[in-house]
Amino acid sequence: MTKTNFTRRGALKTGAATGAGLALPTIFTGAAWSEAHTGFTNAPQGSTVTLGFNVPQSGPYADEGADELRAFQLAVEHLNGDGDGGMLQTFSSQALDGTGIMGKRVEFVTGDTQTKSDAARASARSMIEKDGAIMVSGGSSSGVAVAVQALCQEAGVIFMAGLTHSNDTTGKDKKANGFRHFFNSYMSGAALAPILAAQYGTDRKAYHLTADYNWGYTTEEAIRSSTEAMGWETVNTVLTPLTQTDFSSYIAPVLQSDADVLVLNHYGGNMVNSLTNAVQFGLRQREVGGKQFEIVVPLYSELMARGAGENIAGILGSQNWDWKLENQLGDRYSGTNAFVQSFGQKYGFPPSQAAHTCYVQTLLYADAVTRAGSFNPCAVVEALEGFEFDGLGNGPTLYRADDHQCFKDVVVVRGKENPENEFDLVEIVEVTPVDQVTYPPDHPQFAGGSLGECNTGA
């Protein structure tokens, strides 16, 4: 693991990795839980508690990972009483007082998931076994999230998912020790469909390019289901490798089809590259059957918009949160400005949705421990299940007990035609109320799997 600190505004500094090349055991053994303590994995014994932040520091989602690390660092500062306190001042719970977590100063270790499930599991395992992490968070890939969530369930630690949007994370692969604040594919489809119908009509033919892993699959399914229900026809769906950087060979066949909408179920660097290729092939200027050709990106962020540049103008998509919410839509989204101010003062630019969800998850974990009066994972689970809260930027929010999914409003966005600066690339089109994106726990898109029982690792 690497200890991480910030040496100057926006700059990450990492020390030398330890334990490189060591074979990792296939089961958890040794000091992680065999020593006498209070009966659960990595129970804090001294004056500190260690959290593990596992993010992509390389690979196609590295930009998101860098912003997640910035947010984690800020959350730890605020928990320890440093800085201006950020969302501790606006969080409805008011259980956190800046003295760490239950009086223990918060420390953290970091790892690089490489946007690969095996690497992410190895990194998380080392955090738990070698560094004593009692909670693991982070990630910008649903494949990574599902893999690490399963590992944390096995190990007996809490997993507070970072940026993971696949239905599977709180659907067929949900676990009792895992919790997701970020929204999901179904919610994107439910929020986007009415806007797409209003903007582009109900007589459309869609061609999907989809990242070949669990997030891509469930996002394609959600968008197809919601758009076909309003009258759209899906003319083709094509899977693309996560490692792909040039999508020209995938864009060319779109021109030979009768599609008049291209749906890019891509994220991070993949989306920047595929959108760029689509524009280079002239799709934005294309007309089919008298209709202007359109491109939709179901999930994107300010970071991706920055990478895509002018190509993002006019593109509709959805977000979990936007840094302009409170200024534009008022007190319902309180906490947003406090976080933006803290983050901006430290790093010199506004936070992304990835940064926001990771900051919030860290505070939610600390708050649950505090309210429960224990670091015991099962006590934390009990404190989070059914927890209703506000003041963390998304409006009133519920952590549903049935599946450990947060339910809150969803933001529909569009790339600005004439942005004022490099941080003002996305405009809020609509905020879809939580009731319109809520679904029953047994919805077909979330079928299979079971939370099971919480595991303390004892």
Side-chain angles (χ1 to χ4, degrees):
M1 286 301 95
T2 57
K3 290 281 187 177
T4 303
N5 54 46
F6 292 74
T7 57
R8 57 183 172 84
R9 179 167 290 186
L12 293 174
K13 181 179 180 182
T14 58
T18 60
L22 294 178
L24 294 170
T26 56
I27 58 172
F28 285 85
T29 59
W33 59 50
S34 65
E35 294 178 358
H37 51 46
T38 54
F40 55 93
T41 301
N42 292 335
Q45 297 299 299
S47 59
T48 64
V49 60
T50 300
L51 308 182
F53 301 141
N54 203 22
V55 306
Q57 299 181 54
S58 58
Y61 298 166
D63 286 348
E64 309 284 339
D67 225 33
E68 289 178 333
L69 277 184
R70 296 181 188 109
F72 282 134
Q73 166 75 4
L74 188 63
V76 169
E77 288 184 5
H78 290 167
L79 289 173
N80 287 334
D82 300 323
D84 62 7
M87 285 184 171
L88 266 66
Q89 314 301 321
T90 61
F91 186 11
S92 58
S93 172
Q94 292 297 298
L96 301 173
D97 59 6
T99 59
I101 305 178
M102 288 182 58
K104 296 182 183 292
R105 186 168 182 82
V106 181
E107 296 183 346
F108 68 94
V109 292
T110 71
D112 181 8
T113 68
Q114 304 173 38
T115 319
K116 298 176 181 176
S117 297
D118 289 346
R121 282 178 63 93
S123 178
R125 185 185 293 276
S126 186
M127 288 177 174
I128 297 166
E129 289 201 324
K130 297 182 174 62
D131 299 302
I134 195 168
M135 181 273 275
V136 174
S137 185
S140 294
S141 157
S142 292
V144 162
V146 166
V148 175
Q149 180 168 256
L151 179 97
C152 289
Q153 179 71 33
E154 173 193 347
V157 301
I158 293 294
F159 177 63
M160 300 296 285
L163 199 165
T164 168
H165 186 246
S166 170
N167 290 340
D168 294 350
T169 308
T170 46
K172 72 180 183 63
D173 295 310
K174 59 185 174 285
K175 301 294 181 186
N177 284 38
F179 290 84
R180 171 164 60 182
H181 171 263
F182 206 70
F183 72 144
N184 59 42
S185 301
Y186 173 91
M187 295 173 177
S188 285
L192 274 172
I195 305 298
L196 294 175
Q199 297 279 329
Y200 304 145
T202 56
D203 182 21
R204 285 285 186 166
K205 295 181 178 181
Y207 192 116
H208 288 251
L209 293 183
T210 300
D212 190 7
Y213 74 107
N214 62 350
W215 170 72
Y217 310 149
T218 66
T219 300
E220 178 191 296
E221 179 186 23
I223 300 301
R224 283 188 61 177
S225 176
S226 62
T227 55
E228 288 174 2
M230 67 185 190
W232 284 25
E233 177 187 350
T234 302
V235 299
N236 203 4
T237 62
V238 179
L239 295 176
T240 62
L242 186 58
T243 54
Q244 194 76 22
T245 56
D246 184 348
F247 291 85
S248 299
S249 62
Y250 294 95
I251 299 295
V254 179
L255 296 169
Q256 308 305 317
S257 75
D258 60 349
D260 51 33
V261 177
L262 173 62
V263 181
L264 293 175
N265 300 306
H266 290 157
Y267 197 75
N270 286 162
M271 172 273 193
V272 171
N273 291 331
S274 62
L275 177 60
T276 299
N277 289 152
V279 171
Q280 290 170 341
F281 272 74
L283 290 183
R284 297 297 298 272
Q285 288 74 47
R286 181 174 169 82
E287 285 192 6
V288 180
K291 299 186 183 74
Q292 179 66 41
F293 195 97
E294 303 292 352
I295 301 174
V296 176
V297 178
L299 174 69
Y300 73 85
S301 68
E302 294 268 3
L303 291 174
M304 291 158 58
R306 203 177 310 164
E310 63 183 10
N311 294 332
I312 201 67
I315 301 293
L316 285 168
S318 64
Q319 292 186 169
N320 186 65
W321 172 87
D322 186 277
W323 67 271
K324 302 178 290 295
L325 269 173
E326 189 171 357
N327 280 343
Q328 294 187 10
L329 296 174
D331 292 344
R332 177 175 176 84
Y333 303 104
S334 66
T336 291
N337 285 350
F339 178 53
V340 171
Q341 179 178 336
S342 295
F343 193 97
Q345 285 180 345
K346 186 173 180 65
Y347 301 116
F349 48 84
S352 66
Q353 62 176 349
H356 172 257
T357 203
C358 287
Y359 177 94
V360 168
Q361 283 284 70
T362 308
L363 264 57
L364 285 169
Y365 171 77
D367 174 77
V369 170
T370 303
R371 289 186 293 108
S374 173
F375 287 95
N376 187 303
C378 291
V380 174
V381 169
E382 184 175 347
L384 284 172
E385 286 186 337
F387 181 48
E388 297 180 353
F389 59 92
D390 202 349
L392 294 182
N394 294 105
T397 303
L398 165 69
Y399 240 133
R400 189 162 71 178
D402 302 85
D403 48 15
H404 296 182
Q405 171 69 54
C406 270
F407 286 83
K408 55 199 182 310
D409 298 348
V410 170
V411 187
V412 177
V413 297
R414 177 171 49 218
K416 274 195 171 183
E417 298 287 352
N418 298 295
E420 296 178 8
N421 56 63
E422 63 176 316
F423 306 116
D424 183 42
L425 301 176
V426 173
E427 61 184 359
I428 299 170
V429 175
E430 178 179 291
V431 176
T432 304
V434 60
D435 290 349
Q436 293 183 32
V437 298
T438 298
Y439 52 87
D442 61 352
H443 187 281
Q445 290 187 34
F446 299 83
S450 169
L451 280 176
E453 300 295 326
C454 69
N455 180 24
T456 65

